[in-house]
Amino acid sequence: MSGERTRVVLAVNGRRRALALDPRTTLLDALREHLELTGTKRGCDRGECGVCTVLLDGRPVYACLALAAACDGARITTIEGLASAPERLHPVQQAFVAADALQCGYCTPGQILSAVALLEEHPRPTVAQIHEAMAGNLCRCGAYPKIVRAIRAASRRSKRR
Amino acid sequence: MSQRFVTTTVEVEGREERVVVEAPEVEPLPWGPRARLDRVGSRVPRLDAAVKVTGRARYTADVRLPGMLYAAILRAPVAAGTVERLDVAEARAMPGVQALISPPDVSDIQWLHEEPLLGLRIYYHGQPLAAVAADSLLEARTAVAAIRVTVRGRRHHVGVDPEKRVRAARGAPAPPETVKRERGRVRRALREAPVVVTQTSRVPVALHHPLEPHGSVVWWQDDRVTVYDSTQGIFRVRRELAEALGLPVNRVRVIGEYMGGGFGSKNHCGAYTVLAALLSRKTGRPVKLVLDRREVGTDAGHRPESAVRITLGADRDGRLRAIDAEAWVALGVDGWPGGTTQIARRLYRCPNVRTVEHYLYTNAGAMSVFRAPFYVEGAFALESAMDLLAKRLRLDPAELRARNLSDVDPLRSRPYSLDVLPECLDDVTRRIGWGKRRRRPRWARPGPDDRTARGRGVALEIWGAAGGPPAYAEVRINRDASVLVITGTQDLGTGARTVLAQIAAQVLGVPLDQVHVLLGDTDAGPYAPNSWGSMTTASVGPAVRAAAEDAARQLREAAAGMLNVRPEGLVVRRGRIATASGRKSIALARVTEQLGNIMIVGTGHRGPNPESVTVMSFGAQAAEVEVDLETGEVRVLRIVAAHDCGRAINPELAESQMHGGILQGMGYALFERRVQDPGTGQVLNPGLHEYKIATLADMPQIDARVVTKSDPVANHTGTKGLGEPPIIPTAPAIANAVYDALGVQPAELPLTRRRMMQLIRKARRRR
């Protein structure tokens, strides 16, 4: 796009990333198109489905509804930044694998990040808290029963630690 | 010598086809009910779970190629009419625009009803009229918005209304012919039946809405076209795209590595794929064209709206004497006259059945099959009518069903390969605590908080999930004894990768992590069918097993030489090849190491289906609901489900499939409905905010049981499909539970608050 560029600095998965962006660029496009972090999915571009959920300073947000420029200086965690190493999955990722809490996998990164944020805030979430935290992440394959199972399992594991 | 090419019957999405099939010289012995298997039948985590939970799985929209352009589509602003002027000059000159195609560029490519791919005649709101490729998506969309289009509108028709006689889309070709079928003599049987009930039910247009939007990345490079596509059928897309472009199929390669759901809406080559290919040819650069959510909700297929009138005649003891069903189905601009009433001819024993189906084209995007197409709609009609009959007879609805189960296939009067429907019905009623039925509405008595009513309902399903040929696979054994399975199927999220690996690991006696499955690439794998019709496991599974058996045979022959024994008595088990007694054996890895670069390549294909029996899959669901009598809200508290899939290769994944069908079925019952504005023909709720699918907070308790019983007559792996059947009985079970709670029957889906309040008022008047 011709015209002005905005300078945006994001701390993405612990790495400082300086970008010069069209001011209309969403956080989702900054991640997917400029930083090539395609683990964050695009499903609707209007905050309807939740597949683009990332953590912004630890809180879950829809990346399609956030302007990248408005996130200047923020800490962003995407699904790529959750596992400390490819073979060392985050406990919530492990729980999703073990519970078969995914089918096509397209909503999975967003589900996992919402679940991570939930468990940060409520290490032992109630049913109502799980509903509240997860209802904004749609899954068309119907993995919900096992997503709940995975969240419960991850919650138990973190209690033991 | 036996004949190599024979014909067999394959049922896909309720439609039977006779196909020519290559009969295997030797079919492996079936894995019967007592076969001792360890890899097959185990609940191993899906093999691609780790790449999916880490975001490394690459879906079509994630594909990024050097110099890639982004494309967007201009869509018709009216539901019917003619394009009088399409002024693209301004758009073409906009920054970043690299190519633009409009009707004159593609007049030679035929699309719906032999109309050009981009035509001047408009049949529905949202029909593609032009496409732009630009350096960025923003630029492509900005340019599309700058195209000036002048149209002359005409009257359009949407929806279906049996009372008013349906009228088809103006200017559209004649609708498909009305389909009439009759066995026995229905009119006489209805006259003579002591009890007759009639019910007209209506179901809305439902949208698939896979969370990964439809889309393709296409690179026309020199004389080859490479397509990354989110599709349920790579081979079908290859054929249809090659035909559209006038290319031999070997110049088109279709790749679908990871796929974000389809549910029936991604079975064909999309117009978007052809447009992306043409834009790539024009520019020489790869082009990404991914639909946005609103385009998915407008022009990516749907389950059609229909009305079904069913009359049931029965004896006083509930035995069905006659079923008379008539359906009116609005397909959209194009579609498949499937079989809305087929389940009425198939689910119960009944000597006299007449079905009539009227199809029409309307001014809306084309329908496409959607998870158990037509059976979902037909089951709601039939199973609602059954509960009406039960009430008239003062008979328990589960008992009424039990009395009408057929021990042979009513359609063809021949036995089933394996019938587990009675078991499924017993199982769900027992687990939900059906007990003695009270026919009095429960809300007549105070509920837990005096403003709710609870009820239970049951419904059954039957589905042709036998799978069938052709389907091919190749199994290669490497010198380190690792295994590569190659087949041209695709994994939509079903777990195909995992179950095919389990089958190969079983035959070759190797750990699962030693097997890699390569699928989703037409250049790599031999042919496999579309992943639809619940047919992948029961079609490709046997092909993979046959290929692995072929590889195992070659390994035994190699080992025989090394062990100085005859190959016939050798068995492959737990990483070793051994004589039957076990006295002599050799590690598989030693055999392959000694073979070095000698390739062990096993090939296999799916054999014909059995001819003298009918292979079906069966299932039952029971629902418990709570109705809020003040707000009309329906909460599904519990779904108990039992579904048959023959032998479950992986019960964990089978259970996940059941959850998926049930939750989609619940959404269909409670909230899903595409609304088309009667005035403009525009889809008013194409997005996921207005078109409601179930969220996690809507989830009931789901008790899903996979009835795993090998069906060795079906095929030598004993499997049947499970992808679609679990969606069939959910909506009628929920509606019947509402009927139980209120004493009045819902006849139209979804069960919106407004409809529920009308029902509740009716119930109060009756009290």
Side-chain angles (χ1 to χ4, degrees):
Chain A
M1 199 82 214
S2 58
E4 64 180 300
R5 287 271 189 272
T6 304
R7 301 191 65 80
V8 180
V9 177
L10 302 171
V12 182
N13 300 330
R15 237 182 101 190
R16 185 178 177 279
R17 311 295 295 256
L19 297 164
L21 300 171
D22 180 313
R24 294 172 292 179
T25 310
T26 62
L27 177 59
L28 177 61
D29 279 326
L31 293 169
R32 285 182 60 85
E33 305 297 334
H34 297 269
L35 299 174
E36 298 191 31
L37 292 170
T38 54
T40 307
K41 302 301 176 196
R42 185 196 310 277
C44 69
D45 257 339
R46 300 205 183 187
E48 297 173 344
C49 73
V51 303
C52 65
T53 304
V54 297
L55 301 185
L56 178 83
D57 292 329
R59 300 189 63 84
V61 297
Y62 291 162
C64 72
L65 289 189
L67 282 173
C71 303
D72 190 37
R75 244 178 338 110
I76 311 288
T77 304
T78 72
I79 194 70
E80 290 92 345
L82 210 53
S84 47
E87 63 284 358
R88 256 195 82 78
L89 299 181
H90 184 281
V92 174
Q93 289 172 315
Q94 285 174 24
F96 267 61
V97 172
D100 199 39
L102 64 144
Q103 293 181 41
C104 81
Y106 200 76
C107 71
T108 308
Q111 302 279 2
I112 288 174
L113 288 165
S114 285
V116 167
L118 164 69
L119 293 173
E120 282 292 318
E121 199 180 353
H122 306 289
R124 300 169 64 183
T126 62
V127 171
Q129 285 164 342
I130 293 175
H131 284 188
E132 172 74 20
M134 302 303 295
N137 289 83
L138 298 181
C139 169
R140 190 54 159 163
C141 298
Y144 300 137
K146 292 181 173 181
I147 288 172
V148 172
R149 234 177 266 175
I151 290 171
R152 291 248 159 78
S155 160
R156 279 194 300 274
R157 285 180 55 149
S158 63
K159 244 190 308 173
R160 276 206 305 272
R161 278 190 314 195
Chain B
M1 201 182 112
S2 62
Q3 223 180 329
R4 183 166 170 209
F5 293 98
V6 298
T7 53
T8 189
T9 306
V10 180
E11 180 173 340
V12 183
E13 308 287 29
R15 188 154 77 169
E16 281 202 336
E17 290 167 358
R18 293 289 290 172
V19 298
V20 176
V21 50
E22 195 179 341
E25 277 172 41
V26 267
E27 285 268 55
L29 286 177
W31 285 333
R34 272 184 289 280
R36 281 199 311 213
L37 308 173
D38 46 8
R39 312 276 189 268
V40 161
S42 85
R43 292 178 168 260
V44 293
R46 65 180 73 220
L47 296 182
D48 49 16
V51 296
K52 286 177 175 174
V53 300
T54 51
R56 298 200 309 271
R58 187 169 72 158
Y59 297 79
T60 298
D62 304 335
V63 171
R64 197 186 173 94
L65 299 173
M68 189 172 77
L69 301 174
Y70 296 77
I73 297 176
L74 171 73
R75 293 180 176 276
V78 297
T82 317
V83 176
E84 295 200 316
R85 221 172 108 74
L86 200 67
D87 184 355
V88 297
E90 192 187 329
R92 222 188 268 281
M94 293 193 73
V97 171
Q98 302 293 338
L100 187 151
I101 47 180
S102 62
D105 303 320
V106 290
S107 55
D108 54 333
I109 297 179
Q110 292 191 338
W111 208 243
L112 300 176
H113 299 303
E114 278 81 51
E115 291 276 330
L117 175 65
L118 300 178
L120 297 175
R121 268 201 288 268
I122 298 172
Y123 291 107
Y124 62 98
H125 199 286
Q127 180 182 322
L129 297 179
V132 175
D135 293 330
S136 74
L137 186 56
L138 205 54
E139 287 163 326
R141 291 207 172 133
T142 311
V144 159
I147 299 175
R148 296 222 191 98
V149 54
T150 315
V151 299
R152 193 181 49 206
R154 297 177 67 161
R155 273 192 64 184
H156 61 269
H157 294 285
V158 300
V160 55
D161 192 342
E163 276 92 44
K164 279 192 196 152
R165 290 305 304 169
V166 284
R167 282 178 301 181
R170 274 282 184 85
E177 267 180 46
T178 291
V179 185
K180 294 183 188 175
R181 292 190 179 85
E182 181 161 3
R183 68 168 182 255
R185 298 180 63 180
V186 167
R187 194 176 302 188
R188 194 180 63 184
L190 281 176
R191 219 170 32 233
E192 290 168 2
V195 184
V196 175
V197 296
T198 297
Q199 153 87 319
T200 300
S201 58
R202 286 155 199 269
V203 292
V205 170
L207 299 174
H208 309 69
H209 274 313
L211 285 185
E212 181 196 23
H214 301 58
S216 311
V217 178
V218 184
W219 197 354
W220 197 315
Q221 221 180 354
D222 303 323
D223 62 348
R224 289 212 88 206
V225 183
T226 304
V227 184
Y228 297 84
D229 196 27
S230 178
T231 179
Q232 295 176 236
I234 52 171
F235 276 93
R236 182 174 199 142
V237 171
R238 183 178 75 155
R239 174 169 58 80
E240 291 177 350
L241 183 64
E243 270 169 23
L245 301 174
L247 294 174
V249 290
N250 67 356
R251 301 219 343 234
V252 178
R253 176 184 182 190
V254 180
I255 300 167
E257 199 184 359
Y258 290 96
M259 198 317 199
F263 313 113
S265 69
K266 295 176 179 171
N267 271 310
H268 299 269
C269 175
Y272 49 86
T273 312
V274 186
L275 292 171
L278 296 171
L279 289 165
S280 178
R281 181 170 63 183
K282 273 199 156 187
T283 56
R285 291 162 67 175
V287 172
K288 179 187 281 189
L289 207 178
V290 178
L291 302 191
D292 71 21
R293 181 55 57 189
R294 270 143 192 82
E295 292 175 294
V296 172
T298 306
D299 193 20
H302 59 265
R303 186 189 299 284
E305 176 179 3
S306 50
V308 184
R309 188 174 60 217
I310 290 198
T311 302
L312 301 178
D315 291 341
R316 297 216 179 276
D317 64 358
R319 268 166 245 280
L320 287 170
R321 299 302 307 158
I323 301 175
D324 193 4
E326 189 165 8
W328 293 263
V329 185
L331 294 170
V333 69
D334 198 3
W336 178 356
T340 311
T341 61
Q342 196 179 89
I343 193 166
R345 288 184 284 124
R346 221 169 186 184
L347 184 56
Y348 296 114
R349 185 189 55 230
C350 181
N352 306 291
V353 182
R354 177 173 61 188
T355 62
V356 183
E357 292 162 0
H358 311 276
Y359 295 96
L360 68 146
Y361 296 130
T362 54
N363 294 107
M367 64 76 74
S368 59
V369 294
F370 185 169
R371 205 170 198 163
F374 303 107
Y375 273 53
V376 166
E377 301 95 296
F380 174 64
L382 176 65
E383 290 294 79
S384 293
M386 286 296 279
D387 267 39
L388 188 62
L389 179 62
K391 181 163 183 176
R392 185 67 55 82
L393 291 163
R394 296 172 186 279
L395 198 62
D396 180 320
E399 175 58 27
L400 174 68
R401 285 172 172 81
R403 285 184 193 178
N404 285 291
L405 294 181
S406 179
D407 48 13
V408 296
D409 168 14
L411 217 52
R412 301 182 201 78
S413 308
R414 62 185 193 186
Y416 291 120
S417 56
L418 181 71
D419 176 8
V420 298
L421 191 52
E423 184 181 328
C424 291
L425 175 59
D426 279 355
D427 182 69
V428 298
T429 48
R430 186 173 40 73
R431 281 191 291 138
I432 206 164
W434 192 261
K436 275 215 170 111
R437 307 298 297 136
R438 286 174 296 181
R439 294 312 317 165
R440 199 144 63 95
R442 277 149 205 255
W443 66 273
R445 270 167 268 178
D449 51 8
D450 216 18
R451 61 176 261 186
T452 57
R454 288 188 177 195
R456 287 176 184 163
V458 68
L460 305 180
E461 63 88 2
I462 186 166
W463 181 250
Y472 292 80
E474 198 178 293
V475 169
R476 296 187 193 166
I477 316 288
N478 300 309
R479 65 187 297 166
D480 61 354
S482 66
V483 178
L484 180 63
V485 177
I486 312 174
T487 172
T489 188
Q490 44 280 310
D491 190 333
L492 286 47
T494 52
R497 259 186 198 91
T498 309
V499 298
L500 297 177
Q502 285 179 263
I503 290 170
Q506 180 69 52
V507 173
L508 295 164
V510 297
L512 202 57
D513 58 11
Q514 219 166 302
V515 181
H516 179 74
V517 177
L518 173 57
L519 47 73
D521 185 346
T522 56
D523 268 14
Y527 177 85
N530 269 45
S531 291
W532 67 341
S534 304
M535 65 188 297
T536 302
T537 303
S539 306
V540 186
V544 167
R545 183 182 169 205
E549 298 279 4
D550 186 34
R553 177 186 55 79
Q554 298 172 54
L555 289 169
R556 285 196 301 267
E557 282 167 5
M562 297 170 194
L563 292 171
N564 266 327
V565 295
R566 293 166 57 82
E568 287 79 27
L570 292 176
V571 289
V572 186
R573 194 187 296 143
R574 288 193 201 92
R576 297 188 77 78
I577 300 178
T579 54
S581 66
R583 204 172 305 154
K584 280 187 163 181
S585 76
I586 181 170
L588 185 63
R590 283 213 46 205
V591 176
T592 56
E593 196 188 306
Q594 288 191 37
L595 287 171
N597 286 330
I598 293 173
M599 289 286 298
I600 299 287
V601 180
T603 59
H605 53 272
R606 171 62 150 83
N609 281 332
E611 285 292 319
S612 53
V613 297
T614 300
V615 180
M616 299 296 285
S617 80
F618 306 90
Q621 288 178 24
E624 182 166 4
V625 304
E626 184 173 272
V627 179
D628 186 317
L629 300 171
E630 283 176 26
T631 65
E633 184 189 4
V634 179
R635 261 210 93 78
V636 180
L637 303 174
R638 193 174 172 208
I639 300 277
V640 176
H643 289 270
D644 152 47
C645 62
R647 170 192 301 289
I649 305 291
N650 186 327
E652 184 76 37
L653 305 191
E655 202 180 282
S656 293
Q657 285 269 32
M658 287 179 64
H659 290 167
I662 290 165
L663 285 164
Q664 284 180 0
M666 188 191 81
Y668 185 65
L670 298 187
F671 5 84
E672 292 189 32
R673 172 176 54 159
R674 186 196 74 186
V675 181
Q676 212 178 349
D677 179 13
T680 63
Q682 188 174 353
V683 176
L684 294 177
N685 59 341
L688 286 164
H689 180 65
E690 312 87 3
Y691 183 95
K692 304 288 185 195
I693 69 171
T695 73
L696 186 139
D698 301 308
M699 180 184 68
Q701 180 189 334
I702 301 177
D703 302 324
R705 172 174 295 176
V706 181
V707 179
T708 176
K709 258 191 186 171
S710 178
D711 185 345
V713 179
N715 64 68
H716 55 73
T717 59
T719 56
K720 292 185 279 193
L722 187 70
E724 291 162 299
I727 195 179
I728 299 172
T730 311
I734 290 170
N736 286 339
V738 168
Y739 185 20
D740 182 42
L742 299 182
V744 291
Q745 186 168 37
E748 187 165 4
L749 297 181
L751 302 171
T752 57
R753 304 274 175 110
R754 206 183 86 185
R755 287 186 187 136
M756 286 303 301
M757 289 315 295
Q758 285 167 353
L759 277 185
I760 290 164
R761 276 195 293 273
K762 205 163 138 191
R764 288 194 199 280
R765 279 199 301 274
R766 281 199 190 169
R767 183 150 59 147

